[in-house]
Amino acid sequence: GDSVTQMEGPVTLSEEAFLTINCTYTATGYPSLFWYVQYPGEGLQLLLKATKADDKGSNKGFEATYRKETTSFHLEKGSVQVSDSAVYFCALSGGFQKLVFGTGTRLLVSP
Amino acid sequence: DTEVTQTPKHLVMGMTNKKSLKCEQHMGHRAMYWYKQKAKKPPELMFVYSYEKLSINESVPSRFSPECPNSSLLNLHLHALQPEDSALYLCASSPGQGRLDTQYFGPGTRLTVL
């Protein structure tokens, strides 16, 4: 079945450092790919998405490119802020109304 | 506007109580979802309503009873819950576009069962 694998956390960075959170997937067909962010005590917010190969999703300085050849959708940000501290979930949708989530990666950014 | 609202924000209930969680969206979405999220875990799908009909039930115990009164509202009725049911309950909605569908989540209800 479909699955998503994320890097283990926590990822600990200093403010203004470069961020990469790795995400790879296994799916039949051509899924849509998503990054969701969850701040402490809150629900999930859609951060960005991509629906086909080579699409780049971007939002709030975050970017991820849908790489079909490597089945990856890595999340990147050039300069993180303390306010980016949160849990980040990579997810895919192959249709059929089901999102398949990765395990989540906690990001901790210190001043 | 991509807002999904949920009430209440917090709920504490005993094992013999009956309570309900509410979810609302005004984006014209035709699919609505209930998820359960335990600490440090991703959300787990419980139910999906599509065009106001239950389309997916992920083998959820009958002490959880969903209801979709209309296309904008989704309820989750709770009865005789167990302490292990304590979790964050998330509602989501989506336009209903197959592979291109995007789910938008509400802020959640933090449920504690005593």
Side-chain angles (χ1 to χ4, degrees), chain A:
Chain A
D2 295 351
S3 67
V4 174
T5 302
Q6 284 183 242
M7 61 189 293
E8 290 284 331
V11 173
T12 304
L13 295 173
S14 297
E15 205 164 25
E16 299 184 3
F18 185 86
L19 168 71
T20 300
I21 299 178
N22 290 338
C23 171
T24 57
Y25 68 90
T26 302
T28 54
Y30 303 95
S32 293
L33 301 173
F34 306 87
W35 278 101
Y36 286 89
V37 58
Q38 187 171 33
Y39 298 100
E42 299 186 9
L44 273 68
Q45 296 179 25
L46 178 67
L47 183 58
L48 53 84
K49 68 177 183 180
T51 59
K52 62 182 188 297
D54 300 324
D55 266 2
K56 177 186 283 188
S58 61
N59 186 27
K60 300 181 182 179
F62 291 89
E63 293 182 341
T65 301
Y66 189 141
R67 302 284 189 200
K68 195 170 189 309
E69 63 276 13
T70 55
T71 61
S72 65
F73 193 53
H74 303 322
L75 183 68
E76 296 182 335
K77 187 177 185 184
S79 176
V80 293
Q81 305 299 312
V82 172
S83 57
D84 293 326
S85 298
V87 178
Y88 293 80
F89 290 98
C90 184
L92 70 81
S93 172
F96 309 110
Q97 299 176 319
K98 289 194 178 186
L99 271 178
V100 177
F101 286 96
T103 52
T105 301
R106 182 173 300 276
L107 171 64
L108 299 171
V109 181
S110 56

Side-chain angles (χ1 to χ4, degrees), chain B residues 30-99:
Chain B
R30 303 317 302 264
M32 296 186 77
Y33 310 75
W34 280 116
Y35 288 84
K36 174 182 178 180
Q37 186 181 28
K38 301 286 274 185
K40 300 186 178 181
K41 297 289 188 181
E44 298 174 18
L45 183 64
M46 300 174 71
F47 302 103
V48 181
Y49 273 83
S50 181
Y51 290 82
E52 300 164 49
K53 294 191 186 307
L54 184 64
S55 59
I56 296 176
N57 177 342
E58 292 286 272
S59 302
V60 178
S62 60
R63 57 186 184 269
F64 295 91
S65 176
E67 178 195 21
C68 189
N70 60 57
S71 60
S72 300
L73 291 174
L74 185 66
N75 298 322
L76 186 63
H77 302 298
L78 314 173
H79 174 54
L81 294 193
Q82 303 297 309
E84 59 264 28
D85 297 321
S86 298
L88 181 67
Y89 288 82
L90 295 165
C91 175
S93 71
S94 68
Q97 296 174 323
R99 186 188 70 79

